[in-house]
Amino acid sequence: MIRLEAADALIAQWTRRHGAARDQLLPLLHMLQEEMGFVDDALVAPIAAAFNLSRADVHGVVTFYHDFRRVPAGRHVVKICRAESCQARGGAAIEAAAAERLGVAMGGTRRDGQVTLEAVYCLGLCAVGPNALVDGRPVARVDAGRLDAIAREIAA
Ligand code: FES
């Protein structure tokens, strides 16, 4: 459970600075995720109240965009590109190999909290795929050797 008082203070600070028009909702959610690591379901009600929206509206936005986490991520986040070019270059096999090598299913966080493995949809590096993103750092031409290097990095 996140610190709700801290989140309430962040929401209040945001609306004082930027207002509470609907177009401020996405920037607020991004800020909350940046500050708190994820957007806890418990924040839906205070955000809805601050923006004079229904809880369903806010919940709909949080769940529509894949970028928003509703639970904390692992200490490392590995994203495997699932978009067309990387898929044509063996992305599905890389996904399966990554899940096996890292010990976690796609979309999940390993039990020890060390790594989250998830999909991403095009990193703009299509010519050098299949690609991954490791803690925000792009890794091109992912193969078994690069997956081993990623696994070692995560274990360190
Ligand atoms: S399709 Fe994977 S980087 Fe563009």
Side-chain angles (χ1 to χ4, degrees):
M1 180 58 95
I2 65 164
R3 296 152 292 142
L4 286 179
E5 287 176 13
D8 283 342
L10 287 171
I11 295 166
Q13 185 180 54
W14 184 272
T15 54
R16 269 197 311 276
R17 284 188 187 160
H18 305 285
R22 194 182 176 102
D23 66 352
Q24 286 299 315
L25 182 57
L26 279 176
L28 170 82
L29 291 170
H30 281 291
M31 180 275 292
L32 288 171
Q33 178 155 290
E34 183 72 28
E35 292 292 326
M36 316 210 70
F38 68 112
V39 181
D40 192 293
D41 286 345
L43 296 183
V44 168
I47 292 170
F51 279 75
N52 198 26
L53 296 169
S54 72
R55 291 179 189 195
D57 279 339
V58 176
H59 182 264
V61 171
V62 173
T63 55
F64 179 79
Y65 292 99
H66 295 292
D67 279 350
F68 296 126
R69 298 184 184 288
R70 297 172 63 207
V71 294
R75 280 179 285 285
H76 298 278
V77 177
V78 175
K79 299 183 179 195
I80 307 291
C81 182
R82 197 178 264 177
E84 193 173 337
S85 273
C86 287
Q87 287 297 299
R89 292 167 177 264
I94 291 300
E95 270 190 35
E100 186 176 330
R101 188 66 184 80
L102 300 177
V104 59
M106 283 296 289
T109 297
R110 204 163 72 193
R111 279 182 185 214
D112 64 1
Q114 192 67 9
V115 60
T116 293
L117 180 63
E118 55 193 24
V120 65
Y121 294 89
C122 196
L123 300 168
L125 302 166
C126 312
V128 291
N131 297 307
L133 206 57
V134 179
D135 295 331
R137 174 178 49 84
V139 178
R141 296 190 172 94
V142 178
D143 57 12
R146 293 219 159 110
L147 283 176
D148 283 344
I150 291 168
R152 283 195 300 275
E153 181 180 330
I154 284 165

